[in-house]
Amino acid sequence: MTDLTTAAVELRPSGLVLDGREEALLCASLFYFRLPREVWASRLAQVRATGYRAVDVYLPWNFHETAPGVWDFDGRRDVGAFLDLAHEAGLAVVARPGPYICSEWDGGGLPAWLALDDGLALRQAEPRFLEHVRRWFDQAVPLLAARQWGRGGSVVAVQLENELDFFDTHDRHAYVAALRDMALEHGITVPLVACAGQGDLTGATGGVDGVVPAFNFYPDDRSRFVEPEVRRYAGLVAEQGLPLLVTETNRRHATLRRLLVSGATLLAPYLQASGYDLGYTPSVGNWGDPGGFMSHDYDFGGYLSPVGEPRPETADARVLAAVLRTLGPAIARARTTAADGAVVTDVPTSASPSMLVLDGGGTIVGIPNLGREPGHARVPGNGTAPDVVVPLPASSCVLLTRDLPLDRFGLPGTLRLASADLVGAGPDGLELAARGPSVLALSAGPGDDTTPVLELDAPVPGSPTRLSVTSGGASWAVVLRHPEDQPAPGGAVPPVPARPAEEPVALTEAVHLELETRSGRTVAHPLPPASEEVGVYRGRTHYAASVAHVDELLVVGAGDVVELSLDGRALPSIVGFGTVARVGAAGARRLDATVETWGHANFDDARLPSLRLGSVRGLGAVWSVTAAVDVGALWTVDGGAQWAGDPAPVRTLGGWSSTRVGRPVTYRRALPVDGRSQHALHLLGLVGTCEVTVDGVPRTVTAHDPWVLLAPGEGADVTVTVPHAPGVLGGAELLRLERVSGWDVEPQPDSVLLELAGRTAAGRHVDLPLELAPGTEAWLDVAVPGGGRSLRFEGTHARVSAFAHGELLGRVWLDDPARPRFTGGDSGRLWLPRAWNSGTVRLLVRATAGTGQPRLERVTAAAVPE
């Protein structure tokens, strides 16, 4: 068995133990690659001031290998410097170098060019992929090894891969073992972990010796079933002598309390410290219907906003952190159990609450109020003692402490009952924190029958309640404070930066620059190459070809943002996630296309081509449609033993009627293919998913991409199998295709766009609003007031890319029917950090085609505290 300890880091049943200190750890995600280097230290200090003792840190492979064999660990990419700052701030680090990280980041961190290696299999124990991973680990892991806890560094654990149980890895054991061996070869001695995204321990770790399972829990915060689910996993790992490590979960501290009492000793809410996807780094993902673009503003409501503004949860963080410090080993070594019947509530609560049986005596019961109104819990009395009514604030989880011996704090007696949080204890007395009314009972000892239950009013922020409690000859000094008054670990209450008093400034003037938006230098290609094939891993690619004598085009596999024009007439933007688009081209002579990569898929979703992990970007394949035939009729029907005997009846596709809804029915026919041409079969009106076999080879087809491409010679025998239901299919059409060839291609990777954005150019002053012709672009310089600024753009039928300090701040897509669904944070704003604000922001505005006039109405700049 691989040793899971170092001199300073031990993995015990009580959790990650640092320098012998047994205490449940609160850990906040904080990502250096989503922040300017200038704010790293201040953001780390903000996290430490909340009482959290650790941060988890992804290392995106493609952030550091910017092109094949080109490595960058300087400036904003100097992860070693970030880890050193974390150590200086007193924060431990759970490092997560992947190779795959997800994180709604471009490609999940996997470099885009890996897809160009024919036969390479991502996230598999496949030699070519592992060789690429080895080169990445050779660069990244030594930086972690040199900064391990106990060697003067911050790294206390290293996570291999990420939520592998979501992915179809063929040999999990071999793959994870290869990653483990690479890490060990570079001197990693702190625990190695692998997180399960949907609870499959072996799916995440491969069952590999020396790799500890961890869990990512993302429940509905109001679910009644959180506790029993989490207790199940706590029991499974306890059987192996391991702690329950929660490496990702929701951000609300009410939910974190529920996980705590259910046995978790590492609590790492994902993205407590938000950030920005600066550069061309967001992903496209399967958050949507079914897909969406991730906004540059990367924010899920954590306790620090993307620009560093503290939110109300910071006070809740300080309180929970103080509870963990105060009770230390008593909680870390505690045993979790069901607390069914321990309390009765008049509000929605857990289906099976959890209780911690504390080491050294006492218990903590978590009592969730899952409703939006305050309520009460009734705690049954013992013997002659009456029931106790405990107030429950709305949307909360009260940690009810009972029968806690106080001698460990140098105090007499027992804390019989407290619904306020125990945030401090010592010879001078007890410190409690609560937002609302609470109850408290103290006892001198077993013979003390005079224990009163005190009903305490809600404390007022800034005015702690101080009282002296006497019972059975013993007395205790008690301070009850509001969570907003809870001090940070250093003793002071962190000041909340005041929001700037000034109103957002409307920026209505600009300089329209005499600056090209592309070079016009092209390279001839017989067919449109993928963007990655011409070196565009991030950025955009321009294509042009003759389409004379073409009536209709079929564009297959284009992504992410496709702008087409025919003879200079711009067409509406296409966002199809790699699906098929039909474009009328009658009378046109030239097709121009600009394809921008918003980001590569960070998850693997088979429903759409561009949502597959490792999918490429670009124009895809472009075909001329030379014929279209209705093939919705003359399908034979095969229902197996259910119906339709021999000879099989002939019906329209989807036209069989039966009461046996949901049972599979198969339609079969030969298609009128010519044996020489490429064809495309379009399944009309498909609902859900079906299986199509072409000459015996099965394919899965979804309603999101209801097309089947047929190579020359294919289509002599086609079957379509669907679960029977009325209206599940509405016919089919067969298109005969010819390739459009002879392309002029101009690559425009992000490095070229950044160089253009940094050029000096003359221009003329213009007032906003600015109107542009569809399909055209313009560079604008806009003067911005000093300091950190939140920029917001208004207008229609336009996309705006904003640049400053040699970086892309981000992109905003203004009102447009073609605009896709955006997920993540606020898709309408960008952040100009104080340190990057030279007084001017440069904009690249692209006008899109549609029903409205492309127009940049105005820009507003709101001051933000940093």
Side-chain angles (χ1 to χ4, degrees), residues 61 97-100 110 123-126 129-138 141 158-162 164 169 171-188 192-194 204-206 208-211:
W61 177 358
Y100 166 80
L110 297 174
R123 304 177 74 188
Q124 306 287 353
E126 186 271 317
F129 178 62
L130 290 179
E131 185 54 38
H132 282 286
V133 174
R134 179 174 292 281
R135 287 196 284 270
W136 161 235
F137 272 28
D138 286 348
V141 177
V158 173
Q159 178 183 300
L160 303 175
E161 253 289 339
N162 192 80
L164 191 62
T169 299
D171 188 340
R172 298 177 189 278
H173 186 278
Y175 177 48
V176 177
L179 300 181
R180 175 204 60 186
D181 293 347
M182 292 181 202
L184 295 177
E185 288 168 11
H186 284 293
I188 295 297
L192 298 173
V193 303
T205 66
V208 171
D209 178 39
V211 179

Side-chain angles (χ1 to χ4, degrees), residues 8 58 73 158 197 259 267 299 302 368 385 428 449 456 486 513 597 601 629 650 726 804 809 822-823 833 858 864:
Y58 281 127
F73 289 90
V158 173
L259 270 60
L267 289 163
D299 183 13
D428 294 334
D449 297 326
L456 307 177
Q486 177 60 37
L513 300 173
T597 298
V629 180
V650 174
L809 301 178
F822 279 85
T823 59
R858 67 172 184 167
V864 296

Side-chain angles (χ1 to χ4, degrees), residues 220-222 252 347-348 368-375 392-396:
D220 181 334
D221 285 319
R222 298 189 184 277
R252 292 188 63 238
V347 292
N369 177 358
L370 304 179
R372 292 179 170 84
E373 299 295 333
L392 300 178
S395 304
S396 68

Side-chain angles (χ1 to χ4, degrees), residues 257 315 318-320 322-323 326-327 364 398-402 404 406 409 411 414-426 428-442 454-461 463-469 476-487:
R257 290 162 174 255
R318 294 196 301 273
V319 168
L320 185 56
V323 171
T326 300
L327 290 172
I364 295 178
V398 166
L399 299 181
L400 183 67
T401 304
R402 300 192 70 183
L404 179 70
L406 296 177
F409 305 118
L411 292 169
T414 302
L415 179 59
R416 288 296 180 200
L417 183 145
S419 64
D421 292 310
L422 182 62
V423 294
D428 294 334
L430 301 173
E431 298 177 40
L432 304 173
R435 285 190 180 275
S438 61
V439 294
L440 172 67
L442 289 156
L454 304 178
E455 296 181 356
L456 307 177
D457 293 333
V460 177
S463 300
T465 302
R466 302 180 185 276
L467 59 154
S468 178
V469 180
W476 302 266
V478 178
V479 176
L480 175 64
R481 64 171 65 95
H482 193 277
E484 292 177 11
D485 298 328
Q486 177 60 37

